[in-house]
């Protein structure tokens, strides 16, 4: 990358920021301003100071993510002044409230007004945000806000999560579009590097990015959709090969977050070339065909809680050498669920309390009821999970309070019922990392099983002790049955699998006619 200056012989001035949230429309809880402020929220100089501090960019999970990647790239390019805007990130959850979204929009616009003249803007966005009572794509609204402040000709670069739901509002309004290429996501920093590299090259007239994208009528498919496992592995390897071609700038597959009420849900592919529209269209068509072919590869078979418990008992070697993960696929906090599903707990109390199982549970009402107790107290309690969740069994528990702390997930109590340990939390629990349990005085190595509230990412952090995964299906905000049974205005896989034979008619409506 050269060091060509901006017009007038001055360094480029690029604003950078983040507004990142994955919304679950089936959660009974809204995401509010405090969820951002308590988890990750910075403005202006506080943002640049934070990124320079060496602290983890994403709370205790990743030291470097998109924004550090973009700053490193700018420093390496030289003659680029990076102007901090805002960085707002909250744990996946229910739709953002109207008041909260209005606050985010105003803070972003205010930051842009104070930034002065900018040659371009880079925003790390998700692509599957949802806002209460808003039919439009929220990220599209934010991009429009940038152009309202800076002018319609403003150069905007964005990056999206691999589970983004592409639409004309969030694709056609940008100059540069990047995204994750891994699932579980582990290339956040590299994504920021790629986005900033392309933005600087574009502003220095070193590339002429032209794009092509295609929208497919697929909501679920591709097995586990993990990038290094079949059937998706050959597709992501294909993308790597494409991106090594001199004329190709980037290529991506976006597999959507399915637990939203967005009317235009569907997988998508996106290809960018340097000035060659014909090639971009050709490669996008080819990539779309490859993705279309994996739609019928089914997800793993999910078990009922009772079936899963029987498998845990059979997995004696796994329990001896480490632990089994019971993946509560219907209550995935990482997909915006609340963590308050009581179905697995109900079965464990009735049939499995002789096993050392670690289970997190969001139940603020139980916390209110029990918080006055001290460690060591014996209690009787009825656990109901998250208020507002349908079809949740009430679980009566005789237990001892082993631990009582006020930490990252609010007030938390560890209840011991025989060998079962229930971590009852005031806020939605996030045991994606073993430190969640270590802070409560519990060791994953000593557990027979751990109930997980994440689809993929826990596998990275529990790799040392994790010996077996058992996906469990009940009913909750991230239940795949909601997705399989959902009816759309256009035929969509898997609901209408028997009537869909091609993807181009869907693409025409979603991508072309929606843009008209």
């Amino acid at each position: 990358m050269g060091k060509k200056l901006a017009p007038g012989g001055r360094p480029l001035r690029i604003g950078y920021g983040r507004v990142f949230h994955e919304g679950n429309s089936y959660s009974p809880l809204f995401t509010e301003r405090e969820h951002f402020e308590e988890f990750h929220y910075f403005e202006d100089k506080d943002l640049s100071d934070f990124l320079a501090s060496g602290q983890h960019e994403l709370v205790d999970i990743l030291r470097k993510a998109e924004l550090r990647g973009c700053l490193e790239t700018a420093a390496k390019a030289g003659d680029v002044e990076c102007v901090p805007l805002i960085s707002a990130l909250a744990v996946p959850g229910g739709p953002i409230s109207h008041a909260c979204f209005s606050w985010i929009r105003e803070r972003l616009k205010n930051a842009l007004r104070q930034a002065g003249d900018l040659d371009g803007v880079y925003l790390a966005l998700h692509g599957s945000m949802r806002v209460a009572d808003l039919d439009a794509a929220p990220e599209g609204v934010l991009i429009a806000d940038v152009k309202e402040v800076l002018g319609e000709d403003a150069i905007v670069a964005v990056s999206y999560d691999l589970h983004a739901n592409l639409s004309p509002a969030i694709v056609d309004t940008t100059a540069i579009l990047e995204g994750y290429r891994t699932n579980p996501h582990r290339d956040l920093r590299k994504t920021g590097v790629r986005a900033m590299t392309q933005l600087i090259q574009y502003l220095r007239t070193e590339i002429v990015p032209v794009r092509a994208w295609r929208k497919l009528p697929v909501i679920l498919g591709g097995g586990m959709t993990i990038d290094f496992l079949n059937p998706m592995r050959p597709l992501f390897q294909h993308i790597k090969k494409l991106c090594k071609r001199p004329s190709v700038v980037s290529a991506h597959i976006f597999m959507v977050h399915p637990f939203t009420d967005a009317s235009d849900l569907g997988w998508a592919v996106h290809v960018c070339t340097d000035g060659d529209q014909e090639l971009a269209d050709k490669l996008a068509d080819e990539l779309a065909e490859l993705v279309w072919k994996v739609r019928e590869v089914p997800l793993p078979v999910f078990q009922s809680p009772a079936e899963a418990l029987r498998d845990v008992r059979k997995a004696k070697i796994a329990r001896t050498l480490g632990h089994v993960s019971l993946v509560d696929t219907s209550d995935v906090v990482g997909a915006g669920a609340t963590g308050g599903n009581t179905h697995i707990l109900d079965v464990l109390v009735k049939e499995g309390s002789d096993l050392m199982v670690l289970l997190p549970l969001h139940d603020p009402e139980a916390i209110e009821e029990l918080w006055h107790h001290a460690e060591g107290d014996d209690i009787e309690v009825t656990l109901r999970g998250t208020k507002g969740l349908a079809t949740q069994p009430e679980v009566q528990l005789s237990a001892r309070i082993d631990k009582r702390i006020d930490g990252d997930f609010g007030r938390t109590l560890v209840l011991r019922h025989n060998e079962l340990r229930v971590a009852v939390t005031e806020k939605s629990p996030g045991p994606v990392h073993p430190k969640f349990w270590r802070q409560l005085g519990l060791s994953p190595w000593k557990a027979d099983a751990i109930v997980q509230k994440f689809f993929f990412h826990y596998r990275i952090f529990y790799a040392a002790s994790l010996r077996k995964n058992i996906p469990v299906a009940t009913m909750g905000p991230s239940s795949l049955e909601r997705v399989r049974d959902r009816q759309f205005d256009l035929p969509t896989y898997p609901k209408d699998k028997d009537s869909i034979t091609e993807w181009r008619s869907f693409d025409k409506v979603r991508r072309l006619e929606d843009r008209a």
Side-chain angles (χ1 to χ4, degrees):
M1 189 184 301
K3 293 189 177 181
K4 183 178 178 181
L5 300 180
R10 58 172 176 78
L12 292 171
R13 296 190 81 246
I14 297 177
Y16 67 92
R18 170 193 286 118
V19 180
F20 201 93
H21 186 254
E22 185 175 53
N24 188 311
S25 299
Y26 305 112
S27 169
L29 306 179
F30 285 120
T31 298
E32 302 288 0
R33 173 175 173 173
E34 59 264 26
H35 295 119
F36 288 93
E37 292 181 326
E38 292 172 358
F39 189 74
H40 176 104
Y41 185 80
F42 299 93
E43 292 185 2
D44 194 34
K45 190 174 184 299
D46 287 342
L47 174 56
S48 56
D49 288 347
F50 166 72
L51 293 171
S53 69
Q55 299 179 62
H56 281 70
E57 185 174 340
L58 299 187
V59 184
D60 297 329
I61 299 176
L62 285 177
R63 188 169 297 280
K64 295 183 178 182
E66 293 97 328
L67 298 190
R68 280 205 175 103
C70 87
L71 293 180
E72 290 173 1
T73 301
K76 185 176 180 180
D79 290 317
V80 179
E81 178 186 354
C82 292
V83 182
L85 301 172
I86 72 170
S87 183
L89 185 150
V91 173
I96 297 172
S97 72
H98 177 77
C100 178
F101 191 57
S102 296
W103 166 71
I104 290 173
R105 293 180 63 191
E106 186 52 42
R107 298 318 300 161
L108 176 60
K109 288 193 285 187
N110 184 64
L112 288 162
R113 295 185 193 105
Q114 294 180 355
D117 292 335
L118 296 173
D119 296 293
V121 171
Y122 165 57
L123 293 177
L125 305 173
H126 188 282
S128 283
M129 291 173 62
R130 298 306 293 164
V131 174
D133 302 319
L134 178 68
D135 292 333
E139 288 88 352
V141 174
L142 295 174
I143 294 168
D145 286 342
V146 173
K147 297 198 170 189
E148 176 188 323
V149 175
L150 302 183
E152 278 301 313
D153 294 332
I155 306 302
V156 181
V158 297
S159 61
Y160 294 125
D161 188 287
L162 177 144
H163 294 104
N165 181 45
L166 294 197
S167 65
I170 72 172
V171 177
D172 300 341
T173 55
T174 66
I176 303 293
L177 188 152
E178 261 295 334
Y180 302 164
R181 295 177 186 166
T182 59
N183 189 40
H185 312 320
R186 54 198 185 278
D187 65 335
L188 281 67
R189 174 192 161 275
K190 291 181 179 179
T191 298
V193 168
R194 292 192 297 262
M196 195 63 157
T197 298
Q198 293 166 36
L199 177 57
I200 293 171
Q201 289 175 331
Y202 177 55
L203 292 172
R204 289 177 172 170
T205 65
E206 295 170 356
I207 63 170
V208 180
V210 295
R211 289 96 57 77
W213 62 287
R214 303 291 184 262
K215 188 85 168 178
L216 287 79
V218 178
I219 309 299
L220 297 176
M224 295 180 67
T225 68
I226 292 178
D227 66 285
F228 51 82
L229 298 178
N230 289 330
M232 300 306 299
R233 182 178 180 181
L235 275 66
F236 283 95
Q237 288 178 331
H238 177 74
I239 284 176
K240 289 180 180 179
K241 291 178 182 178
L242 284 182
C243 293
K244 291 180 180 179
R245 295 175 58 166
S247 54
V248 176
V249 176
S250 66
H252 299 93
I253 301 169
F254 293 96
M255 297 183 287
V256 304
H257 171 65
F259 307 109
T260 81
D261 59 1
S263 60
D264 62 346
L265 273 183
W267 287 24
V269 301
H270 178 274
V271 176
C272 177
T273 64
D274 184 6
D276 193 334
Q277 186 65 62
E278 182 179 353
L279 178 62
D281 284 317
K282 175 178 178 292
L283 296 180
D285 284 338
E286 292 175 355
L287 185 54
E289 287 292 343
L290 291 174
V291 172
W292 180 240
K293 291 177 181 178
V294 304
R295 71 189 184 283
E296 294 183 350
V297 179
L299 277 69
V301 176
F302 294 171
Q303 299 188 16
S304 70
E307 291 170 334
L309 178 57
R310 288 194 289 271
D311 267 9
V312 171
R313 292 192 183 281
K314 293 176 183 177
K316 293 181 180 180
I317 295 178
R319 290 191 282 122
T320 300
L321 299 177
H323 72 271
V324 176
S325 281
L326 296 173
V327 186
D328 192 350
T329 62
S330 302
D331 192 31
V332 173
V333 173
T338 64
N341 187 341
T342 60
H343 287 278
I344 295 178
L345 173 64
D346 186 45
V347 171
L348 287 174
V349 169
K350 293 175 179 176
E351 305 175 25
S353 63
D354 59 308
L355 294 172
M356 175 67 160
V357 180
L358 309 182
L359 183 147
L361 182 72
H362 175 248
D363 195 332
E365 292 187 350
I367 290 291
E368 285 293 334
E369 178 185 345
L370 299 174
W371 191 247
H372 67 281
H373 285 283
E375 291 181 5
D377 284 0
D378 292 321
I379 56 95
E380 299 283 336
V381 67
T382 300
L383 298 175
R384 299 179 176 88
T386 306
K387 186 177 181 179
L389 285 183
T391 68
Q392 299 299 308
E394 295 186 353
V395 182
Q396 294 184 349
L397 200 66
S398 298
R400 174 168 294 179
I401 296 178
D402 269 2
K403 195 76 173 179
R404 182 181 185 277
I405 68 170
D406 194 346
D408 293 340
F409 303 97
R411 295 176 295 176
T412 300
L413 296 172
V414 176
L415 306 184
R416 178 198 292 227
H417 174 76
N418 297 330
E419 294 303 311
L420 174 65
R421 306 291 193 276
V422 184
V424 183
T425 61
E426 187 174 26
K427 300 177 184 178
S428 294
V432 67
H433 196 286
K435 78 166 194 173
F436 174 89
W437 297 110
R438 291 198 293 264
Q439 289 176 346
L440 299 175
L442 298 166
S443 170
W445 283 98
K446 295 181 180 180
D448 290 303
I450 298 176
V451 176
Q452 284 292 348
K453 301 288 184 177
F454 292 82
F455 280 125
F456 305 117
H457 297 82
Y458 73 92
R459 296 168 184 253
I460 299 172
F461 302 112
Y462 287 85
S465 59
L466 177 59
R467 298 293 177 262
K468 182 179 177 68
N469 294 284
I470 303 176
V472 185
T474 57
M475 179 53 70
S478 60
S479 170
L480 292 175
E481 292 309 308
R482 295 181 183 276
V483 182
R484 292 189 178 99
D485 295 340
R486 185 176 167 189
Q487 188 66 51
F488 292 89
D489 60 328
L490 296 176
T492 304
Y493 188 93
K495 172 70 174 178
D496 306 302
K497 62 182 180 180
D498 294 333
S499 61
I500 301 177
T501 58
E502 50 81 35
W503 56 267
R504 292 181 183 276
S505 57
F506 182 92
D507 174 67
K508 178 181 178 182
V509 174
R510 295 290 191 234
R511 181 175 59 88
L512 299 176
E513 293 183 4
D514 282 359
R515 177 169 49 186

